[in-house]
Amino acid sequence: MSVMKKTKQKKYTKKYKICVIGAGHVGLVAAACFAELGHKVICVDKDKKRIVELKKKIIPFYEPDLEPLVVKGLKSKGLVFSSSLPEAIKKSQVIFIAVGTPPKADGSADLTAIGNVAHVIAKNLNSYKLIVGKSTVPVWTGKKIKETIHRYKNNSNDFDVASNPEFLREGKAIYDFFYPDRIVIGVESERAQEMLKDIYASVKAPIIVTDINTAELIKHASNSFLATKISFINAVSKVCDLAGADVEKIALAMGLDKRIGKDFLQAGIGYGGFCFPKDVEAFAYISKKLGYDFGLLKEVKAINEKQWFSYVEKVKEHLWIVKGKKIAILGLSFKPDTDDMRFAPSVDIVKAFIKEGAKLCLCDPQSLGEARKEFPASGGKKNKVKFTKDPYEAVKGADCLCLLTEWGEFKELDLKKVKKLMNYPLIADGRNMFDRDKVRQIGFGYIGMGK
Ligand code: UGA
């Protein structure tokens, strides 16, 4: 393994014809950003409707700053969209695989889409190609891709397989692409290494060059470690609740120790999204399969799942009778600046309140489309679910304001106005976003997570 040093850096200037397979969060962002770096990019997806819309500059999900990049790429023709995978493969020198790896019932990653793509690549290998895994995958996926292509290719054209895991966060994806903490490339040949260094030449970040297995494991280990940090502080928050201590001060003091670091020590209702929950499980699964029982990760998951449950219990305890009470839910996405509600703790919390017979008004700046699909407003007359983008509308007549996602606009709320609008002034702060003392001064009851 080596870290590329600036002094040794040779000039990497080549631009490539790149195919990005998958126009989801990882693929579409990578495609738009590679085009911005000057490469010629074809972004392919089997979802024809998505491709038709992308050609019309309609972005399928909310991601700040993505739309202007896509528009710019389309205008310059550095970025094109296609639903023909064979054609896109044939036209490209480098192929990034960014298809989904959803969780299976047993916790393992479903690699069907990757297997299918490898097969199509094999059948369309009309020249040397570098095939790069970008999706988060269990260790040995690169090896399997290589075996599949060898098995099904019907000519003598050469190819390389590499791993280049993506570390971008939803909501900050464009920034993370251009300013990453590191770029990891797992390769088996000098040629593949040089090509990937060319591709990322204008992104200033340390490059970690390693073998493919190690690169794949770096991604699983990184996500699982971050999830562990969150579950650790959430476990501490439980002790704080019992001891009457303040988890925020503990996180602040712990985080100032450079060996610990301040990030990912925010206690709350737990992590969600399409990455941490599935990756923690998939890493535990593959470790077990390899012969190591990663019990720590099972506990990380268990702590996370208890967080939303104990939040609901706290609210129930304060409201005493939940049936018929009006609850305003502020925030549905798994974190701010995204409309993504996949595996969001809000989904479990809303379902729990519906089951209790509460009347809910759901509010989120971006996720209402997703929310309407998840909770059709048909829970019977008594449990009718309402939706609004306006937080002041949501809290009207409410007996409790449940803050589940720390969106910027919720931080700016005029709490005196909120108090006047509510039937009973109670804030259940699932993200420890509000200043507890200030909120209490205004006259609210306050429920925090470990404070
Ligand atoms: C995560 C990683 O941070 C990225 O590096 C990685 O590339 C990505 O997964 C992926 O594998 O594709 P993301 O899922 O977009 O990114 O979201 P994060 O910002 O990491 O947040 C994950 C969850 O943890 C959110 O629900 C957030 O609310 C929660 N969280 C985060 C906490 O509860 N406490 C914290 O201190 C930090």
Side-chain angles (χ1 to χ4, degrees):
M1 191 189 284
S2 70
V3 177
M4 193 170 75
K5 295 209 175 77
K6 266 188 185 153
T7 44
K8 283 189 189 160
Q9 213 170 314
K10 77 168 203 190
K11 264 247 166 293
Y12 289 96
T13 49
K14 267 186 94 173
K15 302 292 178 202
Y16 287 93
K17 287 180 190 154
I18 293 177
C19 165
V20 178
I21 308 176
H25 237 105
V26 171
L28 185 55
V29 168
C33 293
F34 284 142
E36 179 69 12
L37 293 180
H39 305 288
K40 283 258 176 222
V41 185
I42 308 177
C43 182
V44 220
D45 201 291
K46 66 177 175 19
D47 182 343
K48 289 194 175 123
K49 185 172 166 254
R50 179 167 286 209
I51 292 300
V52 169
E53 290 186 346
L54 279 165
K55 283 180 180 171
K56 292 185 204 154
K57 304 173 187 118
I58 301 169
I59 311 295
F61 47 82
Y62 175 69
E63 178 62 48
D65 306 323
L66 177 58
E67 190 185 332
L69 268 194
V70 170
V71 171
K72 193 174 165 199
L74 284 170
K75 204 172 163 204
S76 68
K77 299 203 168 49
L79 174 64
V80 295
F81 293 101
S82 165
S83 45
S84 170
L85 183 55
E87 200 187 309
I89 291 167
K90 282 185 198 146
K91 283 184 184 162
S92 306
Q93 299 160 294
V94 186
I95 299 161
F96 282 88
I97 304 177
V99 296
T101 54
K104 290 206 273 194
D106 61 5
S108 64
D110 185 346
L111 302 176
T112 314
I114 294 201
N116 291 343
V117 160
H119 189 266
V120 183
I121 293 173
K123 294 291 176 202
N124 292 282
L125 202 70
N126 60 339
S127 59
Y128 167 85
K129 293 183 197 298
L130 169 60
I131 297 120
V132 192
K134 223 179 200 333
S135 314
T136 303
V137 290
V139 63
W140 289 358
T141 301
K143 189 174 140 210
K144 300 272 184 214
I145 293 173
K146 190 173 160 187
E147 283 167 9
T148 304
I149 299 176
H150 270 303
R151 196 174 300 159
Y152 294 107
K153 77 184 180 111
N154 42 22
N155 57 43
S156 59
N157 286 329
D158 201 6
F159 69 95
D160 271 306
V161 169
S163 167
N164 168 225
E166 186 51 72
F167 297 100
L168 54 80
R169 296 161 294 175
E170 287 184 25
K172 299 210 164 52
I174 306 299
Y175 176 87
D176 286 347
F177 186 93
F178 291 116
Y179 303 97
D181 290 339
R182 76 302 207 188
I183 294 168
V184 172
I185 53 178
V187 284
E188 287 182 329
S189 77
E190 195 66 23
R191 184 177 189 177
Q193 185 183 151
E194 295 297 294
M195 286 173 83
L196 281 163
K197 283 181 179 170
D198 264 326
I199 288 170
Y200 285 108
S202 35
V203 177
K204 298 287 162 257
I207 296 187
I208 310 292
V209 181
T210 177
D211 59 84
I212 297 176
N213 290 346
T214 306
E216 289 168 344
L217 274 173
I218 287 171
K219 177 63 196 265
H220 259 169
S222 299
N223 271 9
S224 295
F225 185 76
L226 291 170
T228 304
K229 255 186 124 176
I230 300 170
S231 278
F232 182 87
I233 202 68
N234 279 337
V236 174
S237 82
K238 303 297 295 173
V239 181
C240 286
D241 277 339
L242 298 166
D246 183 346
V247 73
E248 292 217 293
K249 292 273 156 49
I250 293 176
L252 175 70
M254 280 174 67
L256 285 171
D257 184 329
K258 290 189 193 72
R259 294 167 304 172
I260 297 173
K262 65 179 175 26
D263 294 335
F264 280 70
L265 285 179
Q266 178 69 48
I269 49 176
Y271 59 77
F274 205 57
C275 301
F276 286 177
K278 84 173 168 64
D279 293 350
V280 167
E281 277 222 60
F283 194 24
Y285 182 92
I286 189 77
S287 304
K288 181 90 192 279
K289 208 172 155 200
L290 291 166
Y292 177 69
D293 187 1
F294 214 143
L296 175 64
L297 295 184
K298 288 184 204 153
E299 191 54 26
V300 166
K301 180 185 173 206
I303 293 169
N304 195 54
E305 285 172 357
K306 275 183 218 142
Q307 282 309 104
W308 71 260
F309 185 80
S310 76
Y311 173 84
V312 171
E313 288 302 302
K314 283 182 189 192
V315 174
K316 275 163 66 179
E317 204 181 298
H318 269 72
L319 291 178
W320 186 37
I321 308 292
V322 176
K323 198 170 175 186
K325 294 258 163 64
K326 188 181 166 193
I327 298 179
I329 302 283
L330 266 55
L332 296 160
S333 54
F334 81 100
K335 64 172 188 176
D337 298 320
T338 175
D339 56 356
D340 198 343
M341 279 179 62
R342 290 174 297 175
F343 299 101
S346 66
V347 175
D348 292 310
I349 292 170
V350 168
K351 280 184 184 161
F353 286 140
I354 291 176
K355 208 168 154 205
E356 289 291 330
K359 293 181 195 159
L360 297 179
C361 190
L362 311 186
C363 173
D364 191 282
Q366 292 294 338
S367 302
L368 290 188
E370 292 304 306
R372 283 198 171 91
K373 284 186 230 157
E374 187 75 46
F375 313 109
S378 56
K381 262 186 194 163
K382 278 183 191 155
N383 328 336
K384 217 170 167 187
V385 180
K386 288 188 180 150
F387 303 87
T388 178
K389 260 194 169 187
D390 177 1
Y392 295 107
E393 183 64 34
V395 299
K396 257 187 210 160
D399 299 284
C400 182
L401 180 169
C402 287
L403 187 283
L404 303 188
T405 317
E406 67 280 31
W407 281 93
E409 33 275 82
F410 298 153
K411 285 183 192 154
E412 306 295 319
L413 280 175
D414 175 349
L415 289 177
K416 286 186 183 147
K417 182 173 167 188
V418 169
K419 183 172 174 272
K420 275 189 201 146
L421 289 167
M422 289 180 74
N423 185 40
Y424 175 72
L426 174 64
I427 292 182
D429 188 357
R431 297 291 182 181
N432 287 347
M433 185 191 83
F434 294 107
D435 179 333
R436 178 189 54 189
D437 297 337
K438 201 175 140 194
V439 160
R440 282 193 176 145
Q441 255 170 28
I442 297 171
F444 284 97
Y446 181 81
I447 305 169
M449 301 298 281
K451 69 168 189 175

